[in-house]
Amino acid sequence: MDINKIFQKLIISNVILLILAIGIAFFYIPGNYINEFNDKYYATWVNDDGISFLLIIYLIVIVLHLISYYMLYKFKKNGKRLFVITIIIITLFELFSNAYAASSVEMVLNTISYLIGGAMLALLYFSPVSKKFNKFP
């Protein structure tokens, strides 16, 4: 199979995982112990003043990340840069956020998403896919 097609299928699968994660966040009800932990520890961090500004920045980065998926799918050179920058910013946001409890479904979806993101980064820099981004259309 063509490596470019594999790369594009990884992008599509990551977008599908994102949609699935959002759907599960709205419809999946975790156990009470998870809700109790999040209400006790995580809710205090979320209710701080000034966090709304960071939340707006985080949502903008998520939108830019989705745009980078589209640009990567079309093999645009700026999409490669935007993808790497948004991955770094999202990782920093998650690194410095407070502890929270997650259900096993959320953890599995996040882990699969991280694995696909890592595979995409590897393909972007260490495979023939990287040469496709250097061409001028």
Side-chain angles (χ1 to χ4, degrees), residues 92-123:
L92 288 174
F93 264 101
E94 291 178 4
L95 180 65
F96 293 114
S97 67
N98 211 354
Y100 68 96
S103 68
S104 58
V105 176
E106 290 173 299
M107 289 177 58
V108 167
L109 290 177
N110 283 339
T111 303
I112 293 172
S113 177
Y114 293 144
L115 290 172
I116 292 173
M120 287 172 56
L121 281 173
L123 288 174

Side-chain angles (χ1 to χ4, degrees), residues 20-31 33-35 102-107 109:
L20 188 62
I22 291 171
I24 286 175
F26 282 113
F27 298 114
Y28 180 74
I29 300 170
Y33 56 93
I34 293 175
N35 290 333
S103 68
S104 58
V105 176
E106 290 173 299
M107 289 177 58
L109 290 177

Side-chain angles (χ1 to χ4, degrees), residues 46-96:
V46 172
N47 292 332
D48 288 344
D49 296 335
I51 294 300
S52 58
F53 176 71
L54 289 176
L55 182 62
I56 291 170
I57 291 174
Y58 188 68
L59 291 175
I60 290 170
V61 170
I62 296 293
V63 170
L64 288 174
H65 193 63
L66 290 173
I67 291 170
S68 75
Y69 280 145
Y70 174 76
M71 293 173 79
L72 287 176
Y73 190 82
K74 296 293 184 178
F75 297 104
K76 305 280 186 192
K77 189 172 187 175
N78 290 334
K80 187 176 177 180
R81 291 183 192 130
L82 187 61
F83 179 71
V84 172
I85 290 169
T86 56
I87 283 283
I88 290 170
I89 293 172
I90 288 170
T91 303
L92 288 174
F93 264 101
E94 291 178 4
L95 180 65
F96 293 114

